Amino acid sequence: KQEVTQIPAALSVPEGENLVLNCSFTDSAIYNLQWFRQDPGKGLTSLLLIQSSQREQTSGRLNASLDKSSGRSTLYIAASQPGDSATYLCAVATLSGGYQKVTFGTGTKLQVIP
Amino acid sequence: DVKVTQSSRYLVKRTGEKVFLECVQDMDHENMFWYRQDPGLGLRLIYFSYDVKMKEKGDIPEGYSVSREKKERFSLILESASTNQTSMYLCASSLSGVSYNEQFFGPGTRLTVL
């Protein structure tokens, strides 16, 4: 059974700092890994999707890496801003019973202090 | 842009009531999902559907049923609401295929059962 862990559960940084969020998973036979952002009381917004054959994806100030063999992904946020404050979730997709199954981590709550 | 909408942002129901949560997507996605999100437990899959009139149980289907009569609409039904079903409910959709495709989420429905 796939298990996804995100450490730390919460992180507070001053504005302008570069930071890294971590995601680890137990079953390396994944199809893809997706990073999401969730604002309080809202739905999930997709940030980056890394296919299993890829090592990283970039979008603006965000860079996500994937190391399947070690069961790890990182989300790098450059020059953090107060607007980046949110909970960040990673989700790992595997094949289960012929269907795609997605397992979510419990998230890292990020606070960027002005 | 993919748009996934949910019928209500907030809902308050009484124990024993039958509750319908509606989800509509406008991108002709084959797959649709219902999750619930609880503090400390993350997102857990309740049911998913990979085609019209098709449904599969997720990890926590007990106390729920679903309906998919049209491709764009996926309904979650609480046959007899109970207080332990108080939660945030999130709907998502994605394209089909064995390869995992990016999931797009709705804004969520915060359900309170009294």
Side-chain angles (χ1 to χ4, degrees):
Chain A
K1 180 186 175 184
Q2 180 74 273
E3 293 182 6
V4 180
T5 305
Q6 291 185 248
I7 295 174
L11 182 63
S12 183
V13 300
E15 181 178 3
E17 204 166 279
N18 301 326
L19 59 102
V20 174
L21 306 180
N22 297 295
C23 173
S24 60
F25 46 93
T26 54
D27 183 356
S28 61
I30 69 170
Y31 278 97
N32 293 284
L33 185 144
Q34 193 169 357
W35 281 94
F36 293 90
R37 168 192 173 128
Q38 186 176 31
D39 293 291
K42 302 287 181 63
L44 277 65
T45 300
S46 178
L47 297 173
L48 290 165
L49 172 69
I50 310 177
Q51 303 284 353
S52 61
S53 58
Q54 297 174 322
R55 296 282 294 182
E56 66 178 334
Q57 280 286 334
T58 299
S59 175
R61 294 183 294 108
L62 306 179
N63 176 277
S65 68
L66 174 63
D67 184 344
K68 278 202 315 178
S69 61
S70 66
R72 292 181 183 175
S73 175
T74 61
L75 179 67
Y76 174 84
I77 302 177
S80 59
Q81 303 171 357
D84 295 330
S85 298
T87 297
Y88 291 81
L89 297 160
C90 71
V92 175
T94 53
L95 188 65
S96 176
Y99 304 109
Q100 58 175 278
K101 179 177 172 62
V102 179
T103 305
F104 286 81
T106 51
T108 294
K109 186 174 183 179
L110 172 66
Q111 182 184 23
V112 180
I113 303 167
Chain B
D1 275 356
V2 176
K3 192 168 183 182
V4 181
T5 57
Q6 295 182 229
S7 52
S8 305
R9 291 299 312 278
Y10 301 94
L11 210 51
V12 179
K13 295 293 182 181
R14 296 212 173 270
T15 301
E17 279 192 75
K18 190 168 186 176
V19 182
F20 293 87
L21 302 182
E22 303 286 338
C23 176
V24 177
Q25 50 91 8
D26 67 358
M27 283 300 291
D28 205 34
H29 284 175
E30 291 83 5
N31 298 330
M32 295 189 76
F33 308 83
W34 274 107
Y35 296 89
R36 62 177 284 176
Q37 184 178 30
D38 301 286
L41 297 177
L43 273 82
R44 294 178 291 167
L45 180 65
I46 305 170
Y47 266 98
F48 67 98
S49 169
Y50 55 92
D51 202 352
V52 176
K53 296 192 186 294
M54 307 301 285
K55 61 185 179 184
E56 291 291 332
K57 292 180 180 178
D59 297 320
I60 51 164
E62 296 79 18
Y64 303 94
S65 63
V66 291
S67 171
R68 186 132 181 238
E69 295 298 318
K70 293 184 178 181
K71 191 175 185 179
E72 67 271 18
R73 187 179 299 268
F74 191 34
S75 302
L76 180 69
I77 303 157
L78 286 66
E79 297 290 341
S80 178
S82 63
T83 55
N84 63 13
Q85 291 178 311
T86 292
S87 186
M88 170 71 111
Y89 289 88
L90 293 163
C91 174
S93 72
S94 71
L95 287 169
S96 71
V98 174
S99 298
Y100 170 64
N101 286 292
E102 190 173 6
Q103 284 198 339
F104 295 89
F105 279 79
T109 296
R110 172 74 65 185
L111 173 67
T112 302
V113 182
L114 301 175

